[in-house]
Amino acid sequence: MKEKVRYTFIDLLRGWAIILMIEPHVFNTFLLTELKQTGWFSVVTFINGLIAPAFLFVSGFVFEISSGSKLDDMRKFKLPFWKKLWRLVSIILIGYALHLPFYSFSKILTKSTTEQIQSFFAVDVLQCIGVGLLVLFVLRLIIRSDKIYHYALITLMIFVIFISLFFYKM
């Protein structure tokens, strides 16, 4: 059996991101309003803004590493394909489940307010990770050449940057 390779810097980045994901929820909740007006709080806010991109980077990196050895099986729709697809869909479903206003389908339909429904359809980092990995997954399955795959990713990245600027202005 082939020995699995661990990348310590990815484990450290993942741990750092998890700790910093918890920090703003606790720290910002209990911090006095007067302290939020001080100059150092903008530094904390900047660091907190790096958390979601760190998760996006780590998830994409880990996806690329874990998919490489099983690519042939995934292209033949064997077990690794279905496992990977289920994981990606699960990430998206968990992202939406965290936004559920009630844990009862009938209550969601009858007692949800407009704000709760809008909150349910809000997109956060979990949905971005799930959809982003799903796009990588589909592209990886369709494009056989590594060179063309990487060019496609660069082109897609440039497209997303420009379209993001458009949506940001809206």
Side-chain angles (χ1 to χ4, degrees):
M1 189 166 124
K2 191 175 180 181
E3 186 178 328
K4 289 188 175 185
V5 177
R6 296 293 303 194
Y7 293 96
T8 306
F9 71 97
I10 289 296
D11 291 335
L12 291 173
L13 181 58
R14 190 183 291 172
W16 172 80
I18 289 171
I19 289 169
L20 287 181
M21 185 62 78
I22 296 167
E23 177 268 328
H25 293 90
V26 174
F27 190 73
N28 293 348
T29 301
F30 295 110
L31 191 65
L32 296 172
T33 308
E34 304 85 52
L35 293 176
K36 291 180 184 179
Q37 307 303 321
T38 59
W40 64 270
F41 191 72
S42 62
V43 174
V44 172
T45 303
F46 175 78
I47 292 171
N48 292 341
L50 297 175
I51 300 166
F55 269 111
L56 287 166
F57 172 78
V58 168
S59 63
F61 190 84
V62 170
F63 174 83
E64 285 296 318
I65 291 171
S66 68
S67 296
S69 62
K70 302 170 188 165
L71 199 51
D72 289 334
D73 286 342
M74 287 192 291
R75 285 188 176 131
K76 295 174 184 170
F77 301 105
K78 291 185 177 180
L79 185 61
F81 169 84
W82 297 107
K83 284 174 120 178
K84 184 72 74 176
L85 183 63
W86 174 245
R87 285 182 184 156
L88 300 178
V89 171
S90 295
I91 292 170
I92 297 168
L93 292 176
I94 290 168
Y96 281 110
L98 290 172
H99 291 270
L100 285 173
F102 303 102
Y103 294 113
S104 163
F105 187 66
S106 63
K107 281 186 178 180
I108 291 172
L109 293 176
T110 59
K111 296 184 179 182
S112 294
T113 65
T114 305
E115 291 81 20
Q116 289 171 324
I117 298 297
Q118 286 177 341
S119 174
F120 173 74
F121 286 111
V123 175
D124 61 19
V125 72
L126 275 179
Q127 288 98 336
C128 288
I129 288 172
V131 171
L133 291 178
L134 200 55
V135 168
L136 285 177
F137 183 60
V138 169
L139 287 175
R140 197 69 194 135
L141 293 177
I142 293 172
I143 303 172
R144 294 195 175 270
S145 165
D146 286 343
K147 189 174 184 179
I148 295 172
Y149 172 70
H150 291 127
Y151 283 137
L153 290 182
I154 290 169
T155 304
L156 189 60
M157 177 188 68
I158 292 168
F159 174 74
V160 167
I161 289 171
F162 282 114
I163 199 163
S164 297
L165 293 173
F166 172 75
F167 282 115
Y168 180 75
K169 289 179 182 178
M170 289 176 59

